[in-house]
Amino acid sequence: MASPIKVVVTGAAGQIAYSLLYQIASGSVFGPDQPVVLHLLDIAPMMGVLEGVVMELADCALPLLAGVLPTANPEEAFKDVAAPFLVGAMPRRKGMERKDLLSANVRIFKEQGQALDKVARKDVKVLVVGNPANTNALICSKYAPSIPKENFTAMTRLDQNRAQAQLAAKLGVPVQDVKNVIIWGNHSSTQFPDPSNALVKIGGVEKPVPAAINDDEFLKSTFVSTVQKRGAAVIAARKMSSALSAAKAASDHMRDWFLGSGDRWVSMGVVSDGSYGTPRDTVFSFPVTTSNGKWKIVEGLTISDFARTMLDATGKELDEEKRDALEVCK
Ligand code: NAX
C-alpha cells in the first residue's frame, strides 16, 4: 500500500463537501490503493458542524482514510497537501450583484493562494470549485508564485457532464457512449458547450454527434441554453444549488488529472496561452487530455464562425472579471 497523501477540502462543512468527502475517502478519486489524510478547512463559526462531519467520516469505517484534520486555519489546512479541492466560498445572497460576490470571493482566494505558496507541496494540483471559479483560480495562482501556474485549474467538468448527458439522452444511448463534447470559457452562463467534435458509439462504431443528431437548430440553440441554464434549473427545483453532481464532477476532474483521461478529452479551466484566440492569462476552459499528472490542450480543432462568436463572448467576460478581481486585490 502506498503512503498516504494529504488532501484538503475547503468549505468542508458545506453541501458539496458532504458528497465529495466520501468519494475521496472511499478511493474513487486517487484509486483503491492510495490512502488519504483529509484536511477539512472551513470558517471558525462552522467548526461545530464540521465536528459532525468528522464523526460521520469515522462512522463510515473507510480503510483508505488514514487521518482527518478539521481546522479554520488555512496554513494548517494546506501544509504539505498534494491535492486541494477549493470549494468553500461565500454564497450569493439576495440582492447581491455578481460584482459583490466576486469581490468577497477573490479575497478568499488571494489569502488561500498565499497560504498555498507558503506551505503546500510545489507539485500541488489545485482544483477551484467555488465561484467565480475561473477567476478565483487565476487569483489563487497569482498569489502563489512559487507554484507553477499549470497547477491551478477551475472546474467546468460539471458543465461537461451535463452536456454529455443531454446529448446521450437526445441520441438514446448510454452516457459513456458519448465523448469529446467541449466546454469553452467561463463556468457561467456565457460558457460555450460545443458538440461539434463529439463522437457517439452506435452499434460499436463511432460517429460524429452532429451527423447522428442532424438538427443544427437543436445543437446551436436548445442544447447550448439547456446546459448553460442547468444550474439554475436545479436550484429552481431543489431550492439549493447542485451538490451531488458538483461533487461527482470535482472527483472526475481530479481523478483524470492524477490518473489520466485515456482516449477522452476532458474540459478544464486552465491558464490560457492564447490558444484558439482566447485571452491570455485568464483561466479559460479548454478541451484537454491528461497523462502523467499533466494536462495538454487539444490542438488543431476547426473553429466555426458560430464558435468564434461564442468563444469571444465568454473570453470577454473572463477578461472583465480578471480586471475587476485584480482591482479588488490591489
Ligand atoms: P455551501 O454554502 O453549502 O458551503 C460553502 C462552505 O464554504 C460553507 O461551509 C462556508 O462556511 C465555507 N466557507 C466560506 N468561506 C470560507 C473560507 N474563507 N474558507 C473556508 N471555507 C469557507 O456551498 P456549496 O453548495 O458547497 O458550494 C460551494 C461553492 O461551489 C459555491 O461557490 C458555488 O457557487 C460553487 N459551485 C461551483 C460549481 C462549478 O461547477 N464550478 C458548481 C456547483 C457550485 O454551485
Side-chain angles (χ1 to χ4, degrees), residues 165-183:
Q166 290 296 320
L167 293 175
K170 177 80 175 170
L171 288 157
V173 299
V175 74
Q176 69 273 18
D177 288 354
V178 173
K179 69 178 193 185
N180 298 358
V181 60
I182 300 168
I183 304 298

Side-chain angles (χ1 to χ4, degrees), residues 9-18 40-47 49-50 71-72 74 78 86-92 101 104-105 107-109 111-112 127-134 136 154-159 162 187 191 231 235 238 240-243 245-247 249:
V9 176
T10 74
Q15 55 152 2
I16 293 177
Y18 196 68
L40 311 180
L41 179 70
D42 212 294
I43 52 177
M46 297 304 285
M47 288 301 110
V49 175
L50 202 52
T71 177
F78 294 149
L86 304 186
V87 180
M90 186 183 280
R92 192 165 178 165
L101 184 76
N105 283 334
R107 283 198 183 89
I108 295 176
F109 286 83
E111 186 198 351
Q112 294 188 351
L127 167 59
V128 176
V129 175
N131 280 319
N134 299 52
N136 287 340
M155 186 168 99
T156 52
R157 184 58 173 268
L158 177 54
D159 307 298
R162 287 167 171 165
H187 168 68
Q191 65 173 268
I235 292 175
R238 219 172 78 87
M240 285 197 286
S241 58
S242 314
S245 55

Side-chain angles (χ1 to χ4, degrees), residues 22-300:
Y22 175 76
Q23 296 187 38
I24 299 170
S26 62
S28 302
V29 180
F30 301 101
D33 299 318
Q34 178 59 65
V36 293
V37 173
L38 274 176
H39 289 189
L40 311 180
L41 179 70
D42 212 294
I43 52 177
M46 297 304 285
M47 288 301 110
V49 175
L50 202 52
E51 221 23 73
V53 175
V54 173
M55 286 187 229
E56 286 210 59
L57 279 168
D59 297 348
C60 287
L62 293 161
L64 290 174
L65 187 57
V68 181
L69 171 74
T71 177
N73 176 348
E75 284 191 18
E76 192 181 12
F78 294 149
K79 180 94 180 107
D80 299 330
V81 291
F85 292 81
L86 304 186
V87 180
M90 186 183 280
R92 192 165 178 165
R93 299 215 175 81
K94 222 177 165 184
M96 219 178 178
E97 297 293 330
R98 191 177 165 85
K99 258 195 168 165
D100 302 329
L101 184 76
L102 182 130
S103 120
N105 283 334
V106 294
R107 283 198 183 89
I108 295 176
F109 286 83
K110 173 182 173 181
E111 186 198 351
Q112 294 188 351
Q114 289 166 330
L116 283 164
D117 196 51
K118 224 167 153 183
V119 300
R121 282 166 52 159
K122 298 302 171 198
D123 63 351
V124 64
K125 289 182 174 48
V126 182
L127 167 59
V128 176
V129 175
N131 280 319
N134 299 52
T135 300
N136 287 340
L138 183 75
I139 294 300
C140 201
S141 150
K142 287 211 178 294
Y143 284 91
S146 68
I147 298 169
K149 61 182 191 304
E150 293 74 23
N151 297 20
F152 292 83
T153 62
M155 186 168 99
T156 52
R157 184 58 173 268
L158 177 54
D159 307 298
Q160 179 197 312
N161 287 348
R162 287 167 171 165
Q164 199 176 321
Q166 290 296 320
L167 293 175
K170 177 80 175 170
L171 288 157
V173 299
V175 74
Q176 69 273 18
D177 288 354
V178 173
K179 69 178 193 185
N180 298 358
V181 60
I182 300 168
I183 304 298
W184 298 97
N186 202 0
H187 168 68
S188 76
S189 57
T190 67
Q191 65 173 268
F192 174 36
D194 176 8
S196 59
N197 295 283
L199 297 170
V200 56
K201 206 188 276 175
I202 298 175
V205 181
E206 275 187 347
K207 296 183 179 157
V209 163
I213 291 185
N214 194 22
D215 181 348
D216 214 34
E217 179 57 26
F218 168 82
L219 291 172
K220 283 187 173 155
S221 175
T222 314
F223 165 71
V224 171
S225 69
T226 302
V227 177
Q228 287 174 335
K229 294 179 189 153
R230 186 68 163 184
V234 170
I235 292 175
R238 219 172 78 87
K239 317 293 176 230
M240 285 197 286
S241 58
S242 314
L244 182 70
S245 55
K248 160 67 166 54
S251 300
D252 287 347
H253 178 122
M254 197 63 99
R255 184 199 58 235
D256 287 347
W257 198 1
F258 267 79
L259 304 180
S261 58
D263 67 344
R264 289 173 171 256
W265 304 349
V266 292
S267 291
M268 287 187 180
V270 299
V271 178
S272 171
D273 60 355
S275 288
Y276 297 105
T278 60
R280 279 174 200 278
D281 196 34
T282 58
V283 169
F284 196 98
S285 178
F286 288 100
V288 304
T289 52
T290 55
S291 63
N292 299 321
K294 298 203 181 307
W295 54 262
K296 189 173 176 303
I297 295 173
V298 174
E299 292 172 355

